[in-house]
Amino acid sequence: MAMTSDSHRPIEDVKRYMNYLETNSFSRKLVNLQDEQRAIHTLEIKLKEIVFHTKNVTIEVDKIQALVYKLTCNFTGLTINSSYLEKAKTKHSMQFPSELTRHTCKANQTMQLICIYFNMNRFFQDDDKSLLLNNNILGASLVNHSVSNLKQYVNISFWHNESLDRYDLTCVFWKEGAGKTSWGAWSSEGCKTVLVGPYQVLCHCDHLTYFAVLMKLSSTKISKELLDPLNYISIVGCSLSTVASLFTILFQLYSRKKSDSTTHIHMNLHVSVILLNVTFLLSPFLTSLSVGCVAIAALLHYSLLSCLTWMAIEGFNLYMLLVRVYNIYIRRYILKLCVLGWGLPAIIVVLLLLVKNSAYGYYEIQIQNSLQNDTSPQNASMCWIKSREIHWVFVMGYAGVTTLFNLVVLIWAVKMLRGLHSREKWESRPCQDITTVLGVSVLLGITWTLAFFSFHPILLPQLFLFTIFNSFYGFFLFLWFCAQKRRSNLKAETSSSSQMTRTGPQNHNSPNRSPQPSSLTRFFSRFCPQGTRHQDGEVEKDMECPGT
């Protein structure tokens, strides 16, 4: 490429500066956010001031390469790939549409397009120290013009020499001023991710800036073929659960029977289920609203934490009723449980909003596309937690603690049952006992343990079982409600029949003999609504539930 003596000196100056950035990128000379930001902006200014008389110029050092192109008003598009660079470490390309200069170019005006390729992420480390594909950052800018909201996408392609099927990949851009401990943060707004094949990622973006691909190791990537049935199950299950829980609450409100502490706990759990289902159904429809998406994401997280907390409270209440039968009076029992069930999740969500306001917002669910020639965007999106660390601590960790606690309580209760069975010679009805244990297990949210088994050998059944059990959770609670109501009515009829026949002797083979419930049914009947009251001066009296 021929250069004049006038243009040779500034190009050499830019090359020396690029060498300086490369060799000093791991030293202590760049020690703060301003130094990193200033270093990048200085490089951009130096490239902007280059004087050259050809259509383009290329400047290369080992880990930083730059290309500057002259564009005119009749620009028809441009594709730049790694073959233009001798020192490019990995394969990549950038395709610019003709719309790039349409709204900015004036008559007979010549503009400059600057493209910078970094083979290191030293200057673009966000607060989370995110892993980037190949450590590649591709930057593009139009000198003296801001380019955004393009109708025709800028297409950036990244290749890798190994299969990327094990990773969640997200196309992102560097957003200045969005970080707290760094001078920016990676954001996916305005970019769409397409997995063209196992070795190629295609990014569709509507603006110019610095682009990269975030990598997250994942074993739970959902294929496109599974997305539709899982969505259908979720929508139907959440809708049915909402109606069932609402019906249960209304029935209890209009019931003439006085509610006890166990009933109040059940009703609060139903309210949390309704809130969780409604926010989950609304979440995908608010992704286009920035503030609304953050609000619904925070509300969805709060609803989930509340639901998990009330499940743990159900386990605690079961422990109080079945293990500590006597002397369990607690002053303002329900009020304290409500403060815990509704207040603790609120404190967690508010603190997260105050400490890291970017934790909630637009979240893209990576979909594995089995058709390599299909380049249309296939990813699903919703308003949810964007931070991986927050998700693991305040979703998976929180769910793990609550389900483990309830699992321990359930095992303890069944163990006590076995002891009573051996000492008191209770009759056993295995079928009824198993049904009762399953009902209590669902009530305590034991099915949430399925979330921790999302690895490849059992991924497919785990996805469907987890979706079915937790989407229809409110409906299963309603079935539990109906079962307890039926048991209550049968017990009332049995008691009435027993009183009528009590005046005379009754033969053991008499058809009027009262049917006896199994040992497990009698044991867990203490957990039914209206079983126990925590009131002043009262001791547990009626430990068998008269009904719901």
Side-chain angles (χ1 to χ4, degrees):
M1 185 179 297
M3 298 289 168
T4 65
S5 58
D6 293 335
S7 62
H8 184 70
R9 183 174 299 173
I11 291 178
E12 288 301 323
D13 179 58
V14 174
K15 191 169 184 178
R16 282 194 298 271
Y17 186 73
M18 291 167 62
N19 268 317
Y20 166 76
L21 294 181
E22 183 179 285
T23 55
N24 291 276
S25 59
F26 296 98
S27 71
R28 302 300 298 175
K29 292 185 177 181
L30 301 173
V31 293
N32 54 50
L33 310 186
Q34 289 74 20
D35 285 339
E36 294 179 351
Q37 185 176 15
R38 189 182 301 112
I40 298 301
H41 288 172
T42 301
L43 176 59
E44 294 171 351
I45 293 173
K46 288 180 178 294
L47 290 170
K48 172 184 174 182
E49 295 175 349
I50 286 180
V51 179
F52 59 98
H53 301 285
T54 56
K55 290 184 178 180
N56 61 77
V57 63
T58 302
I59 308 172
E60 295 184 90
V61 292
D62 189 37
K63 295 184 178 180
I64 306 174
Q65 291 90 41
L67 300 96
V68 184
Y69 282 82
K70 287 182 179 179
L71 305 182
T72 60
C73 293
N74 54 358
F75 176 67
T76 58
L78 176 66
T79 299
I80 304 173
N81 54 53
S82 53
S83 63
Y84 286 72
L85 304 170
E86 295 180 358
K87 297 186 178 182
K89 302 297 182 182
T90 54
K91 185 180 178 182
H92 60 268
S93 69
M94 298 183 73
Q95 181 182 9
F96 302 95
S98 58
E99 187 189 355
L100 194 66
T101 61
R102 187 174 302 168
H103 303 292
T104 57
C105 192
K106 298 179 181 179
N108 300 323
Q109 182 185 14
T110 300
M111 295 179 292
Q112 289 185 357
L113 175 66
I114 298 176
C115 299
I116 309 175
Y117 164 62
F118 291 91
N119 190 33
M120 58 182 182
N121 65 346
R122 168 64 180 87
F123 299 102
F124 298 92
Q125 288 189 349
D126 60 359
D127 297 344
D128 299 324
K129 308 297 181 185
S130 300
L131 178 64
L132 303 181
L133 177 62
N134 298 325
N135 278 334
N136 287 167
I137 296 101
L138 299 182
S141 62
L142 202 59
V143 175
N144 297 329
H145 296 284
S146 176
V147 180
S148 60
N149 298 320
L150 293 172
K151 294 181 180 179
Q152 299 175 350
Y153 288 126
V154 177
N155 297 321
I156 309 101
S157 294
F158 296 83
W159 280 266
H160 196 58
N161 56 3
E162 296 181 2
S163 176
L164 298 169
D165 290 339
R166 298 186 301 115
Y167 295 93
D168 286 338
L169 304 172
T170 307
C171 292
V172 291
F173 75 95
W174 186 253
K175 188 175 183 180
E176 293 190 30
K180 291 188 176 181
T181 61
S182 61
W183 66 283
W186 292 111
S187 173
S188 61
E189 297 176 9
C191 288
K192 296 181 180 179
T193 309
V194 178
L195 302 182
V196 180
Y199 305 97
Q200 181 183 357
V201 183
L202 176 61
C203 300
H204 297 303
C205 298
D206 62 0
H207 56 284
L208 294 184
T209 182
Y210 291 96
F211 302 100
V213 175
L214 289 187
M215 298 178 64
K216 295 180 180 179
L217 187 63
S218 174
S219 59
T220 59
K221 186 175 291 186
I222 304 173
S223 66
K224 182 178 180 297
E225 291 74 14
L226 293 177
L227 181 62
D228 290 338
L230 288 174
N231 280 338
Y232 181 78
I233 294 173
S234 298
I235 293 173
V236 173
C238 290
S239 302
L240 187 61
S241 293
T242 301
V243 174
S245 294
L246 184 61
F247 178 81
T248 306
I249 294 173
L250 292 177
F251 184 88
Q252 185 61 38
L253 289 176
Y254 287 97
S255 176
R256 295 181 180 180
K257 295 181 179 180
K258 186 177 180 180
S259 299
D260 59 3
S261 60
T262 304
T263 304
H264 284 299
I265 294 172
H266 289 339
M267 293 306 106
N268 277 279
L269 179 58
H270 277 289
V271 172
S272 67
V273 170
I274 293 175
L275 186 61
L276 176 61
N277 289 331
V278 171
T279 52
F280 177 79
L281 292 174
L282 290 177
S283 176
F285 299 100
L286 298 177
T287 54
S288 60
L289 304 175
S290 57
V291 178
C293 190
V294 172
I296 199 69
L299 184 58
L300 178 58
H301 188 205
Y302 170 76
S303 305
L304 177 60
L305 294 181
S306 297
C307 192
L308 292 172
T309 306
W310 280 107
M311 291 177 190
I313 291 174
E314 290 278 11
F316 172 75
N317 192 56
L318 176 62
Y319 165 78
M320 297 294 286
L321 294 178
L322 302 185
V323 181
R324 297 185 60 187
V325 179
Y326 301 104
N327 300 321
I328 61 171
Y329 165 72
I330 300 176
R331 181 178 176 83
R332 297 181 179 177
Y333 183 61
I334 295 300
L335 178 61
K336 293 178 180 178
L337 293 182
C338 286
V339 171
L340 176 65
W342 300 111
L344 178 60
I347 293 174
I348 293 175
V349 172
V350 170
L351 287 178
L352 289 176
L353 286 172
L354 293 176
V355 174
K356 190 174 184 179
N357 53 10
S358 61
Y360 300 103
Y362 179 86
Y363 178 78
E364 197 170 46
I365 303 171
Q366 297 292 322
I367 304 301
Q368 185 176 5
N369 190 3
S370 59
L371 302 176
Q372 297 187 10
N373 59 347
D374 185 6
T375 59
S376 59
Q378 303 291 347
N379 294 337
S381 60
M382 64 182 296
C383 299
W384 184 230
I385 300 172
K386 298 191 295 182
S387 171
R388 184 181 182 182
E389 290 74 17
I390 291 177
H391 179 271
W392 277 103
V393 174
F394 293 103
V395 176
M396 301 301 292
Y398 200 94
V401 171
T402 55
T403 53
L404 179 61
F405 170 76
N406 283 349
L407 185 61
V408 170
V409 171
L410 181 63
I411 293 174
W412 194 348
V414 173
K415 184 178 179 180
M416 290 184 60
L417 164 70
R418 292 173 61 89
L420 289 174
H421 182 275
S422 60
R423 290 196 303 270
E424 300 183 10
K425 306 297 182 182
W426 281 0
E427 62 177 294
S428 177
R429 296 182 181 179
C431 221
Q432 191 174 3
D433 289 352
I434 292 173
T435 303
T436 304
V437 169
L438 290 177
V440 176
S441 300
V442 172
L443 181 68
L444 298 181
I446 305 301
T447 54
W448 274 89
T449 55
L450 290 170
F452 300 94
F453 294 93
S454 55
F455 40 86
H456 281 296
I458 59 171
L459 177 59
L460 183 60
Q462 182 269 348
L463 281 175
F464 280 93
L465 288 175
F466 181 83
T467 303
I468 292 171
F469 279 121
N470 294 294
S471 297
F472 286 87
Y473 179 70
F475 179 70
F476 292 145
L477 290 181
F478 172 73
L479 295 181
W480 168 267
F481 171 86
C482 294
Q484 299 308 313
K485 180 64 179 176
R486 181 176 179 274
R487 184 177 300 165
S488 172
N489 293 337
L490 288 176
K491 184 178 179 181
E493 293 176 0
T494 302
S495 299
S496 176
S497 176
S498 298
Q499 290 178 359
M500 293 177 61
T501 58
R502 191 173 297 169
T503 54
Q506 183 175 341
N507 189 286
H508 287 286
N509 296 322
S510 172
N512 292 327
R513 184 190 177 198
S514 303
Q516 296 297 317
S518 70
S519 57
L520 189 62
T521 303
R522 288 189 293 172
F523 191 72
F524 277 116
S525 66
R526 301 174 180 178
F527 195 42
C528 305
Q530 298 193 21
T532 308
R533 294 185 176 86
H534 296 78
Q535 296 179 357
D536 294 343
E538 285 195 13
V539 182
E540 305 294 338
K541 295 180 180 179
D542 185 14
M543 296 304 296
E544 292 189 358
C545 311
T548 304

